[in-house]
Amino acid sequence: MKKTRIAVVGLGGMGRRWAKIASVYPKSRLKLIVDDDENKSKEVEKWQCDFASESEALTSPEIDAVVVATPNVFLAPITKLALKNGKHVLCEKPAGINSKEVKENVELSSEAGLVYMVGFNHRFHPALAKTKQLVAEGFVGKICFIRGVYGHGGRIGYENEWRSKLELAGGGELLDQGVHLIDLALWFLEDSFNKVFGVLTKNFWSQTLEDNAFLLLQNNSGATISLHASWTQWQKKFLWEIYGEAGYVIVEGLGGSYGLETLRFCKRNPASGKPEKENKITFYPGKGYEDPDIALFSLWHQFISSIRLNILKSPNGYDALRTLEIVETIYRQGGRSEKGSLS
């Protein structure tokens, strides 16, 4: 079977990472980079691919699949353009700025029989993948609660970047890192939430968009989820804790600047409050696919295999739709105006 021919739209931080992966993965070929900044045309020479400054280039019959890695406001429209022209799509999270436009793309991809996946790559981090296995095997028993923390402290000039601009981002930290936490909660519990509550704050970076999001979710089984996404976590942090009736699992770090991925898990001692001996696994960077990180390569493998097998796998547009519905509920509770700012 021929290599899947790839176009990447948006040569920013994530676009560069996806371009690198597409260029080295054995079953894909990086064919085209699309970015409205023509000055970036020289940068793509190292990948020996074509460059275009207009998204209409995606209609080319020489392209099989498209990666959309633009600011949030352009994600859904470019995805729609690609799908309408018969291209499979891997769209960066959150896939759009509202559930309506993502739902339209889900329906469009389904009708056309095209793969439409979304970049919730955290599912593929080794520690979280192992945690999913432990939970599925019943290690923690019935889940009582989940705690999640994900944050960074920005950088000089962060308030001037596109993520801090309503007209480009569509939302603040809830729509940025918060969607990763919500997706993980939905993935682990495999259930919807009948209670959704959130508090959004503007502490430091922006007078328009939230820089912290605090969420409480609860499902029909009574499992309660506490999530905190932050742009004022001055030391980068990722924490994912699951406590159940039979034991617990804790993940810290995501590799790189978030620190080594570690997984700790232990059974509750039914005879006393003191638990049994805790197990710990540290996931050190491997050789080969560790740059930019193994999670992105694993998601890419999922995407390409979905295309080649004609099977829609997760994370996909349906997952993004469920996540955005929760985001919208939180924004309504937070007093978000029609223009998207917080009151």
Side-chain angles (χ1 to χ4, degrees), residues 116-184:
Y116 171 32
M117 292 182 62
V118 177
F120 290 124
N121 63 294
H122 286 43
R123 299 184 182 197
F124 298 90
H125 278 275
L128 287 164
K130 179 63 176 178
T131 298
K132 177 69 170 179
Q133 178 187 338
L134 289 170
V135 171
E137 292 172 351
F139 182 84
V140 302
K142 180 182 177 182
I143 294 177
C144 299
F145 67 88
I146 295 175
R147 278 195 297 251
V149 177
Y150 190 22
H152 64 82
R155 48 192 165 263
I156 295 175
Y158 195 72
E159 69 276 16
N160 299 317
E161 297 183 15
W162 71 262
R163 284 183 177 83
S164 296
K165 298 181 183 300
L166 174 62
E167 64 273 18
L168 294 177
E173 173 65 333
L174 175 60
L175 201 58
D176 186 22
Q177 291 183 304
V179 293
H180 276 304
L181 294 176
I182 296 171
D183 175 69
L184 288 176

Side-chain angles (χ1 to χ4, degrees), residues 99 102-103 106 316-326:
S99 60
V102 172
K103 183 178 180 181
V106 167
N316 53 51
Y318 295 96
D319 300 306
L321 180 58
R322 296 174 69 201
T323 297
L324 279 173
E325 288 172 344
I326 293 174

